[in-house]
Structure formats: C-alpha cells, structure tokens
Amino acid sequence: MADVAERAGVSGQTVSRVVNGSPRVDPETRARVETAMAELGYRPHRAARALRTGRTQTLGLVVSTLASVGNSRMLQAVADAAASRGYALTVVTLGPEASVAGAFERLADQGVDGAIVLNEATGRVRDSDLRTAGLRLVVVDSPRDERFGVVVTDHAGGAESAVRHLLDLGHRTVHHLAGPAGSFAAAERERGWRAALDAAGVPVPDLVRGDWTAASGHGAASLLLAAGATAVFAANDQMALGLLRGVAEVGRAVPGDVSVVGFDDVADAADYRPPLTTVRQDFDALGARAVAALVDGIEAGAAAAFDTVPTRLVVRESTAPARGRMRYSE
C-alpha cells in the first residue's frame, strides 16, 4: 500500500479509501491510485483486511439442493451480485438429513459476514433457533419475518396473470399442476391460482401435485386429461415440459386440445415444442436484491426489510382459445 501511495503521489489513507470503495475520493485521484495499483500488481489481502476490519468479505449461501433449475439460476445470480460488491461466496447444501445448526456452524467456522438462504431451505431455517446462528441473514422466498431480511418473487401475482390469460382465451376453468407441499413458492402460486378462479366465479378443480421435475409433469398428464382439462397452469416450466410430452403421447395437441402455461421462463422455454407461455421470474433481480440487502446490513447496519420482485407473463405458442369459444376484440 505504501508503494502504491508513493507511485500515485497520495497518502496511504487515500489508497485505503480507494481499496475500500469510499466515496470520499475524487474521481481523478481514484483513477490515479487504481492505475498505480494495476502497474504494481497490488491486490488487497483478504485475510489481512479481515484482521483489520473484523469482516472477511465473504457471504454464505444455504440451499437444499442445486439440482433444480431455480436454485442453480439463483446460485449464479447471487454469485454474480456478490462479486460485483467485492464479496466471495461460500455454499452449504442443506440435505434432508443435515441440521440447520450444523450448516450455520460450518459457515461461522469459515468466517462469513452473513448468509443468504434459498427457496426450499427457508422453511427449515424459519423453524430453527436462529439465535444460535449469530449471522445476519437474508432469506429468499419466505413470509415476512422480523428476524431477517426477506426477498420474494410475486408468485401469487404471477399465477393470477397466468390464470386470467387462460380464462380470457375462453376456457371454462384452469387446472393446476402444483409444486411440492411445504414449498413457499408452490403454496403462493397455488394461492394465486385459486384467487384468480374465485375472482372469476368459475369452478376450482382438484389440483394435481408434482415435485418440480419434468418426470412428475409427465406422470400428471393422464390425471389432468382424465379430469377434462383444457387449460393447465403448471407451477414451473420443468413440470410443464413433462406435461407437454404426456399430452402428445396420447395423441392430444397443445394448444389445440390443451393450453399450458408454466412458471419461471427458463432459458429453454422458448424452444419447447410448442414454445411455452410462462411467467417470467427475474432471478438476476432476486439475487441482486438479496445480496444488496445483506451487504447493506453488514456494512451500514441497515434494518431487515421485505422486498418483492415482480413477475411478467410471456405469451408464446402453448396457449390458444378454447375450442368452440371465440375471442372478440374491438
């Protein structure tokens, strides 16, 4: 740092401010210091900084599994957002037999400054005694909780928009291929589905439950067709993919016989056959807002907040007017 200060013609304190991102450095001086750092190959030493500041510039991520598309997308989003704020990321998977306390102990042993908890892991964390964790937390997809910050997707609102779209196409009702019991996201999407049907005053069919996988969507196809479904809202795109296959295998057409809407808008959704109408979940915004809430709490002591990320319906070719029903427009 002394070498950088000499090369840039500034004090050591100014170099420290640049390294730590302080706004108390004018742009010209900051550029001069950064040029000197690059010329000398200077990089801050994370361990030394931790001894001085009491922070390691490392965030923890607690997740039940990385096998699901949503969780892997969130991992990428959180990792990118953390890096943009100068933080490293440590990941702990919370398998079915693992204890929440053990997961937090592992993070504490690695000296993380705080942690983000994702999706299916949130229920187990909410039910645990967080006083033993000793970590600042932000949870993705959880009811409001004063113990930690919460960032959620508007699952219910997205589900309502999907159902309204199908009802506007003339379908008498909309069947639901739901996510697993115990999932906050699945429960919220189910709530939105029911709310839209109730608001329209149409029958609410029995739902069929899957487990987020395409295989469970494929297995549900026969049950939904036997129930007379002409429109199905699937709680995620993977289950919708399996449903498309199951419908095709019995000689039925999407959207000619059955209209299908998914949720997430995964990267491949536009290349399904047919391209899938779905509710877009903004994983990048979720990751960025979760990291921002956690880092702001760590660095500035910001209070835990509740933040909702909106969704958007993306209409493609897997939905069409119900047979025998006409859509009228001005």
Side-chain angles (χ1 to χ4, degrees):
M1 188 174 288
D3 293 339
V4 171
E6 182 178 357
R7 174 70 66 93
V10 299
S11 68
Q13 185 179 37
T14 298
V15 175
S16 178
R17 286 174 178 164
V18 171
V19 168
N20 289 291
S22 171
R24 298 170 58 192
V25 182
D26 67 76
E28 182 180 346
T29 301
R30 182 182 302 278
R32 195 162 70 248
V33 171
E34 289 174 346
T35 298
M37 290 168 63
E39 291 173 351
L40 294 171
Y42 172 83
R43 291 181 177 82
H45 193 284
R46 191 176 296 272
R49 178 187 288 179
L51 288 173
R52 187 181 74 254
T53 65
R55 298 201 302 266
T56 63
Q57 297 291 114
T58 303
L59 304 180
L61 183 73
V62 180
V63 60
S64 60
T65 177
L66 292 173
S68 69
V69 173
N71 284 354
S72 61
R73 289 279 302 275
M74 279 300 301
L75 170 61
Q76 184 67 57
V78 169
D80 290 344
S84 72
R85 298 290 294 262
Y87 280 76
L89 191 67
T90 294
V91 179
V92 171
T93 54
L94 189 61
E97 304 302 321
S99 74
V100 173
F104 283 125
E105 285 174 5
R106 287 167 60 190
L107 290 176
D109 287 344
Q110 296 179 63
V112 301
D113 299 325
I116 294 170
V117 183
L118 292 188
N119 306 340
E120 293 86 351
T122 62
R124 294 172 62 187
V125 170
R126 287 197 310 271
D127 294 339
S128 66
D129 184 1
L130 295 180
R131 291 174 299 180
T132 63
L135 292 173
R136 183 177 289 271
L137 298 179
V138 169
V139 172
V140 177
D141 279 350
S142 167
R144 190 185 300 270
D145 194 310
E146 63 182 13
R147 296 175 297 172
F148 42 71
V150 176
V151 179
V152 299
T153 288
D154 184 12
H155 301 286
E160 289 187 56
S161 69
V163 174
R164 285 195 301 268
H165 168 67
L166 291 166
L167 293 176
D168 288 345
L169 289 171
H171 295 277
R172 186 178 68 88
T173 190
V174 177
H175 290 246
H176 185 35
L177 175 51
S183 164
F184 173 82
E188 286 294 286
R189 293 170 196 179
E190 179 185 338
R191 181 171 69 86
W193 165 70
R194 292 184 184 277
L197 295 181
D198 288 342
V202 299
V204 180
D206 292 336
L207 60 79
V208 176
R209 194 169 295 283
D211 63 5
W212 298 133
T213 66
S216 69
H218 178 257
S222 59
L223 297 174
L224 290 162
L225 292 173
T230 66
V232 178
F233 165 52
N236 78 336
D237 291 348
Q238 295 298 108
M239 292 194 296
L241 174 62
L243 177 61
L244 295 181
R245 176 190 166 204
V247 171
E249 284 179 345
V250 296
R252 305 286 287 277
V254 175
D257 297 305
V258 183
S259 287
V260 177
V261 179
F263 200 111
D264 284 338
D265 195 24
V266 299
D268 297 331
D271 294 314
Y272 285 6
R273 187 173 182 183
L276 184 66
T277 295
T278 185
V279 177
R280 178 170 294 168
Q281 182 174 194
D282 193 339
F283 292 104
D284 290 338
L286 278 171
R289 293 194 192 187
V291 168
L294 184 57
V295 170
D296 289 348
I298 293 167
E299 296 183 352
F306 186 87
D307 190 7
T308 302
V309 179
T311 57
R312 180 167 69 87
L313 181 68
V314 180
V315 178
R316 297 193 180 102
E317 298 170 29
S318 66
T319 53
R323 285 188 172 180
R325 303 293 292 272
M326 296 290 292
R327 292 182 71 198
Y328 297 94
S329 59
E330 295 293 329

